[in-house]
Amino acid sequence: MKRIVALLFLLSGNLYGNGIAETRVVNVYSHRNYDSDRALYAQFTKLTGIQVNLVEADADKLIERMKAEGIHGPADILITTDVARLERAREAGLLKNIRSTVLENAIPSHLRHPQGAWFGLTKRARVIVYHKTLTTPESLQSYESLALPAFQGKVLMRSSANAYNQSLVASFVAHNGPDKTLVYLKSLVANFARAPQGGDTDNIKAVALGVGTVTWSNTYYLGKLLGSTNPEEVKLAQTVGLIFPDQEGTGTHVNISGAGVSASSSHEKEALAFLEFLVSDEAQRSFALANFEYPVKSGVEMAPVLKAWGTFKEDGLNLAALGTHNAQALRLMNEAGWK
Amino acid sequence: MKRLGWKLFLGAFALIWLLPLGSLLFKAMGSPGASWAHLESTVLWDYIGNSLILVLGTLLVSGFLGALAAWVTVRYNFPGKKVFVFFQLLPLTVPAFLGAASWRYFLEYTGPLGTFFRSLGFPWFLSPPSGLLMGIILLGIALYPYVFLTLRPVFSHLNPHLLDTARMGGWSRKRIFFLLVLPLVRPALIGGLSLVAMESLNEYGLPSLLGFSTFTTGIFQTWFGLGDLGTALQLAMVLLGVWVVFFILERWGRGQKQFSTGASERLGDKPVKAPRFLTWGIWTLGTLPMVVGFFVPLGQMVHWLFYLRDASFYQLGSHVFTTLGILVIAGGVGIVITILAVFGRLLLRPVWSGPLRYLIPLGYALPGAILALAVMSLGGTWLIGTWGGLALALVMRFAGVGLPVLQSSARQLGKNTLDAAVTMGKSPFSALRKVLLPPWAPALLASICLMAVDILKELPMTMVLRPFNFQTLATRTFELIQNEIPMDSAPSGILLVFLAITFAWLGQTLLERRSRGA
């Protein structure tokens, strides 16, 4: 027993990452946890010989871990699934500014931090999903439509604890100010068909079943449902449609999954190579094909379902604003009674 | 000073609890708590109300089912009793988030039931379960084995003559159970119920899946959503404070009373043959929670297997290896600490042995992620992201689950034996090793098995404290459910449940042997 314990303690030291001097490594803290990503990292290792070490957890927890580990912390890269967390990490001094022409050429400027503290890797559009026969797309051209009296008892939502919902509401705050947003949220909550619950997929299914007629969802959840291995789910997914809201106005809300280089990074060269690989055509294609996210790089091949949904006007809001307004968004959601 | 080494040793281990919790308290007190006014005017009372209802409801369900199952299996003999006893543990082997998720998928339109009924031409109206009441039922059933496990050995040790006397005095069965038996087993009952209460209060995954907020979901809402970790920590300290007060009150209420009945005969040795109607009743009532808490979740996972994609077996072998590896380390550290806590009580005065013993249960009093923060607040890469650091955190959380088992063993064979051995010239260490440990061994192993079941299911601490490239069956299952591709979670989920069953079965067998032997 003692011998096993001793052995494992030793092992734990070596697995650490800084361990063997000869191997080049990049240590990644990530909120993303998809198998397709891991396959991509393996591809990176094959191409460059740089080993990718991975810890996956909620971004806020990873941020606290980075704070606790301090300047000798092993993390080289932080990946999150929304921009607010990247901003939080930056404000806490956990990210360092990076210059890279590869990254700057591949990623449009509104999808990266002006000084290079973080970079968008994929785009996630939060759209309206509606029941094709129970309602018409004409009545649903804006996020604001969901708060109209016509949709009383028809709106399905997941909890206000969800970061994607907070981010969308943060964009309302940025565009319209807190007072107008609160009025809107109160009408929206009054339209809820049931207490907020489940995930995006749950609510899409509930729309398909007529529990309500509309919900918000990130596009990739609908993409995954349409590609489900369960034919019953595919049938359900086919009864709903998708609308990119506010095409006449500010544009559809887009958040990013993005990454920054840790301030404590001791493998900066490897970290940069890793980020540059993630905006390569190959990696961008994998994000789009395997996970139905939108690539940040233009001209990359997309999954057929994304192509079928067509192009859309994105909200041009500076993404950092979503981070700034995130807390206020949740306060307003609390005040409006969005559980 | 006499036995200085032991005192230092015990003190050092008490620091495992004291330092992180103290540092967390310090951090919480240093925060301005900027969100209190907002929370108080909007959601705080909702959090508190829901948490109270959830805890009380869960206690009611768990207490009722656990006490009843323990009582009938001690008091009566009935066909299939061995199987019945084993079945009572099964709900414990399914992590709460997995149970809730599988129930949601089981009852939804595209789930197995809905698909089946529609294929026969019937419509399907049920929607996925949600809400507080569902939460109470699912959690109550998932947690009642704790009550069952703590009460059964105690019931079994009751003096049968007490019951005979009461019966001759004309007391009804119900009256005997509620007015005589339950008060006699109060410490064990409270021990089991406080585990249930802490676990239901700290549960995060299940409420967010079923769509209601609790004090714990509120802590995370404040941390993640409002970005106000300071206020979140203060909320967590309130939770910790509630438990500290509870433990003090409980201890004070119990006083120095010993509930050992000291009889040579035991109730568990002489079960009565159950009348036919009772056998039916026992099986009916006992099967229901097993179906809800185990067979439906397992069935749903098996159903998911049919919709697996290719990627689903991704590195499954290494996940099993990692899971078992951390179990061995955490179990090893856990056993040393459990032995010390129990042995310390025999060897030293309470002022020296007390701190460790009273601090251990506090590891269960906070949500896992907050406890992880506490461990991280000790700082340093020597701890965070190492196998040892994670094992230490797991022990800090779960040692309280295993401790009571060994404690009750030490009550039967402890102080007097130790004194005799020491008088005969043995050192305390050699007395522990040669005289006490051999008869304690089954209880020790049983307490490790109980801890193992919990460690297997643990998520929040493992996720944030883990080393690089470290994936357990639980974290793997959780990530796939979280990514809303539950079918891919089936292989790891089923493996996890079967590992948990193995440990639960082993623990139960050892406990049974202990309560029959010695």
Side-chain angles (χ1 to χ4, degrees), chain B residues 160-172 175-177 180:
Chain B
H161 299 306
L162 269 177
L163 304 193
D164 295 341
T165 316
R167 180 111 18 89
M168 280 189 283
W171 282 30
S172 68
R175 196 159 172 213
I176 293 179
F177 183 74
L180 183 66

Side-chain angles (χ1 to χ4, degrees), chain B residues 117-186:
Chain B
F117 274 95
R118 277 179 293 113
S119 74
L120 298 179
F122 295 106
W124 184 253
F125 298 110
L126 287 181
S127 48
S130 67
L132 201 48
L133 184 67
M134 231 26 236
I136 288 172
I137 295 172
L138 289 179
L139 263 182
I141 286 175
L143 300 175
Y144 87 90
Y146 282 126
V147 180
F148 174 79
L149 277 173
T150 42
L151 277 189
R152 205 170 122 75
V154 193
F155 280 152
S156 165
H157 278 85
L158 287 178
N159 184 346
H161 299 306
L162 269 177
L163 304 193
D164 295 341
T165 316
R167 180 111 18 89
M168 280 189 283
W171 282 30
S172 68
R173 273 206 187 103
K174 226 192 302 175
R175 196 159 172 213
I176 293 179
F177 183 74
F178 284 104
L179 293 184
L180 183 66
V181 174
L182 279 190
L184 275 176
V185 300
R186 204 191 84 173

Side-chain angles (χ1 to χ4, degrees), chain A residues 265-339:
Chain A
S265 171
S266 52
H267 309 103
E268 208 174 304
K269 238 194 318 185
E270 288 81 359
L272 196 60
F274 182 71
L275 286 186
E276 289 178 350
F277 171 75
L278 291 182
V279 296
S280 68
D281 283 2
E282 178 189 7
Q284 289 285 303
R285 204 180 307 124
S286 157
F287 289 137
L289 289 178
N291 209 38
F292 305 106
E293 293 169 272
Y294 287 96
V296 286
K297 197 175 188 181
S298 54
V300 171
E301 183 197 348
M302 295 209 271
V305 53
L306 294 189
K307 270 190 236 160
W309 289 335
T311 54
F312 61 95
K313 177 183 164 191
E314 289 170 28
D315 189 347
L317 186 72
N318 188 324
L319 283 179
L322 299 178
T324 320
H325 295 294
N326 193 90
Q328 192 173 24
L330 178 57
R331 282 167 183 261
L332 295 171
M333 290 158 106
N334 281 340
E335 278 173 42
W338 186 335
K339 307 258 161 138

Side-chain angles (χ1 to χ4, degrees), chain B residues 15-47:
Chain B
L15 289 182
I16 294 178
W17 279 262
L18 208 56
L19 281 181
L21 291 178
S23 132
L24 202 63
L25 187 68
F26 193 69
K27 217 171 159 183
M29 293 206 313
S31 146
S35 306
W36 275 102
H38 165 73
L39 291 176
E40 206 266 316
S41 68
T42 53
V43 283
L44 186 64
W45 297 106
D46 207 33
Y47 292 162

Side-chain angles (χ1 to χ4, degrees), chain A residues 16 27 33 35 38 53-54 56 60 64-65 85 88 161 197 201 205 209 229 232 326 334 339, chain B residues 38 46 104 108-109 118 130 221 224-225 229 307 314 381 384 464 466 469 476 479 483-484:
Chain A
Y16 215 122
N27 295 327
N33 49 12
D35 287 342
R38 293 179 198 127
N53 290 321
L54 195 58
E56 292 155 326
D60 288 290
E64 290 310 311
R65 174 161 164 177
R85 271 69 194 175
R88 249 176 228 175
Q197 58 187 268
T201 312
K205 284 180 178 174
L209 293 168
T229 43
E232 296 285 328
N326 193 90
N334 281 340
K339 307 258 161 138
Chain B
H38 165 73
D46 207 33
R104 280 185 71 84
E108 71 172 359
Y109 183 84
R118 277 179 293 113
S130 67
Q221 198 45 325
F224 300 161
L229 181 58
Y307 299 103
Y314 193 86
T381 46
I384 307 167
V464 66
R466 57 183 154 178
N469 311 322
R476 174 66 178 163
E479 84 178 21
N483 287 340
E484 305 184 13

Side-chain angles (χ1 to χ4, degrees), chain B residues 152-153 156-157 266 269 510-517:
Chain B
R152 205 170 122 75
S156 165
H157 278 85
R266 294 172 189 174
D269 297 336
L510 289 162
L511 278 178
E512 293 287 306
R513 186 170 306 161
R514 188 175 63 84
S515 64
R516 271 203 308 275

Side-chain angles (χ1 to χ4, degrees), chain B residues 330-471:
Chain B
V333 181
I335 202 165
V336 171
I337 291 182
T338 316
I339 293 174
L340 266 180
V342 171
F343 186 62
R345 185 185 196 175
L346 305 179
L347 190 69
L348 304 170
R349 281 186 297 132
V351 65
W352 292 104
S353 67
L356 179 60
R357 211 166 59 244
Y358 293 124
L359 280 166
I360 285 178
L362 287 186
Y364 228 58
L366 284 173
I370 299 294
L371 206 63
L373 276 186
V375 173
M376 287 198 293
S377 68
L378 297 183
T381 46
W382 56 274
L383 188 69
I384 307 167
T386 62
W387 285 66
L390 176 58
L392 219 55
L394 290 170
V395 168
M396 186 187 169
R397 179 146 188 83
F398 293 124
V401 180
L403 186 65
V405 180
L406 191 63
Q407 264 173 343
S408 77
S409 230
R411 264 197 289 277
Q412 289 164 40
L413 188 118
K415 185 90 182 110
N416 298 340
T417 319
L418 175 66
D419 289 347
V422 170
T423 315
M424 284 160 72
K426 280 195 188 302
S427 74
F429 181 70
S430 113
L432 172 66
R433 204 163 62 96
K434 297 216 170 102
V435 183
L436 290 176
L437 279 187
W440 282 359
L444 255 183
L445 286 175
S447 77
I448 287 197
C449 287
L450 284 186
M451 275 196 275
V453 174
D454 268 320
I455 292 172
L456 276 173
K457 297 185 292 180
E458 208 286 328
L459 275 175
M461 293 198 301
T462 310
M463 281 179 75
V464 66
L465 293 174
R466 57 183 154 178
F468 284 111
N469 311 322
F470 181 105
Q471 185 88 290

